[in-house]
Amino acid sequence: MPAQYPLHPHIVLLSNLTQFSPMLYLTGFPGLETVEHWIFIFFFLMYLVAISGNCFILIIIKTNPRLHTPMYYLLSFLAFTDLGLSVSTLPTTMGLFWFKSHGIYFGACQIQMFCIHSFSFMESSVLLVMSFDRFVAICYPLRYSVIITGQRVVRASLVVILRGPIATVPIVFLLKTFPYCGSRVLSHSFCLHQEVIHLACTDTTFNNLYGLILVMFTVVLDLVLIALSYGVILHTVARLASKEERLRAFQTCTSHLCAVLVFFVPMVGLSLIHRFGKHAPLAVHLFMANVYLFVPPMLNPIIYSIKTKEIRHAISKFLGLRKANADS
């Protein structure tokens, strides 16, 4: 882990804690302590947009019977995972910038990293299932209602979603068995396995290999399958007769494609930096980690609200009913 900033006075105290009750030290943006109140406002606004936006998407889908279809069931799963990802980082990030609370007990750190990585893998899985939904809708439109049913979507989503938390348990649990020494300083306002594992004073080969295999068989595999499905989709769209048909067919995928890019690009970038860019500037690590965790939950509700006609109509109807009730 890069250590390109002066140690905080609390680090000395945290370094002397016993191994039985280890505490880690979270940092925000070293060197920018004088403007942390502006950083707090920025993060607060991002949390506000992410949590309210995803809650609003869930309410819209639940209260509008026309949206009780497989496509919008998947969108509700995506909103749920985005909500979980935002809530996972909320306590420590807001605690650090609001209350200047830098210390976190190791057990709490384990819980947080389990939630962060689980919801990340869950979101990857949901995006994969959504790509299959778009693949069937465009390549086999006449058989869509037979292949994609609400019951099948819920079952598939639950199976695929559960693989992340189940696979994450071993590497998070094993962290408790390692001895830790040194300053125990993390360079973020939240706990990530990639960082905590570097603080261990023992051989962590198994955790590193398991983590790499886990990423390969979840995130990387999901990304490859999504890319393949979009390759077939583009081939099918290119064979349509008119330009209007091609445009209309591809427009049904734009929201999902934007969500895929917003999620996978920062995630792959962060993984590459942690594994191969150990000597990269600390600012690069901070920027990629914060983009990966905060941007997708904030942008996904905005993307689907703008790009999806049915969601726009449902929001207009919902707001219209609220206004009518208020007037009455």
Side-chain angles (χ1 to χ4, degrees):
M1 183 191 69
Q4 304 175 9
Y5 51 92
L7 294 179
H8 194 278
H10 292 314
I11 293 176
V12 177
L13 174 62
L14 294 174
S15 301
N16 294 329
L17 292 176
T18 65
Q19 184 177 335
F20 297 102
S21 181
M23 182 173 281
L24 303 178
Y25 181 83
L26 301 170
T27 57
F29 292 88
L32 299 177
E33 288 79 8
T34 57
V35 293
E36 277 191 348
H37 58 288
W38 294 110
I39 297 175
F40 163 74
I41 294 173
F42 180 68
F43 274 96
F44 177 78
L45 291 175
M46 284 199 298
Y47 276 119
L48 184 64
V49 172
I51 294 175
S52 60
N54 285 293
C55 286
F56 194 57
I57 290 289
L58 290 171
I59 293 171
I60 288 293
I61 294 174
K62 180 176 176 58
T63 57
N64 194 322
R66 293 181 59 187
L67 301 183
H68 293 177
T69 62
M71 176 181 173
Y72 293 102
Y73 290 153
L74 290 173
L75 179 56
S76 64
F77 272 112
L78 182 65
F80 171 76
T81 57
D82 280 333
L83 191 60
L85 201 57
S86 296
V87 173
S88 298
T89 59
L90 178 64
T92 53
T93 302
M94 289 295 97
L96 191 151
F97 290 117
W98 198 345
F99 300 108
K100 308 300 181 184
S101 176
H102 291 269
I104 180 172
Y105 286 106
F106 194 86
C109 186
Q110 279 185 295
I111 294 172
Q112 185 179 55
M113 78 174 71
F114 172 78
C115 293
I116 289 174
H117 293 299
S118 295
F119 280 114
S120 295
F121 293 139
M122 287 166 64
E123 181 148 348
S124 174
S125 303
V126 173
L127 290 172
L128 173 61
V129 178
M130 293 178 81
S131 71
F132 179 72
D133 172 79
R134 293 299 85 204
F135 164 76
V136 176
I138 292 177
C139 300
Y140 303 98
L142 299 179
R143 299 176 58 190
Y144 177 82
S145 60
V146 177
I147 299 174
I148 307 295
T149 63
Q151 192 175 31
R152 284 180 178 175
V153 165
V154 172
R155 287 179 179 176
S157 298
L158 289 176
V159 170
V160 177
I161 283 172
L162 287 175
R163 68 173 183 167
I166 292 173
T168 305
V169 167
I171 55 173
V172 173
F173 178 77
L174 283 174
L175 289 175
K176 192 74 172 180
T177 65
F178 297 150
Y180 294 88
C181 54
S183 61
R184 301 176 187 166
V185 184
L186 302 177
S187 58
H188 303 299
S189 59
F190 42 81
C191 294
L192 293 176
H193 176 268
Q194 301 97 310
E195 274 206 299
V196 175
I197 194 67
H198 291 311
L199 303 181
C201 305
T202 186
D203 182 23
T204 59
T205 302
F206 175 79
N207 260 47
N208 289 326
L209 288 177
Y210 186 93
L212 180 60
I213 293 171
L214 180 58
V215 170
M216 292 295 295
F217 281 92
T218 52
V219 178
V220 176
L221 180 61
D222 290 349
L223 185 57
V224 169
L225 294 176
I226 290 172
L228 289 174
S229 65
Y230 268 100
V232 179
I233 288 172
L234 289 174
H235 179 71
T236 302
V237 170
R239 293 168 56 189
L240 295 176
S242 66
K243 181 180 179 180
E244 290 75 15
E245 288 179 327
R246 292 195 294 270
L247 184 61
R248 186 168 59 252
F250 192 71
Q251 279 180 339
T252 63
C253 300
T254 54
S255 299
H256 176 257
L257 189 57
C258 289
V260 168
L261 294 175
V262 164
F263 176 75
F264 280 103
V265 171
M267 189 177 197
V268 172
L270 178 65
S271 181
L272 290 175
I273 287 174
H274 271 291
R275 296 185 186 281
F276 306 109
K278 295 179 181 179
H279 301 292
L282 178 63
V284 176
H285 288 255
L286 293 175
F287 176 76
M288 292 303 299
N290 285 285
V291 168
Y292 150 60
L293 285 178
F294 297 119
V295 171
M298 180 183 66
L299 287 186
N300 282 340
I302 298 173
I303 290 171
Y304 277 93
S305 298
I306 294 174
K307 291 287 187 180
T308 308
K309 181 173 66 176
E310 290 79 4
I311 292 290
R312 290 201 307 270
H313 289 171
I315 291 174
S316 299
K317 183 179 178 182
F318 180 83
L319 294 177
L321 288 175
R322 289 283 179 177
K323 184 178 179 181
N325 291 335
D327 293 340
S328 62

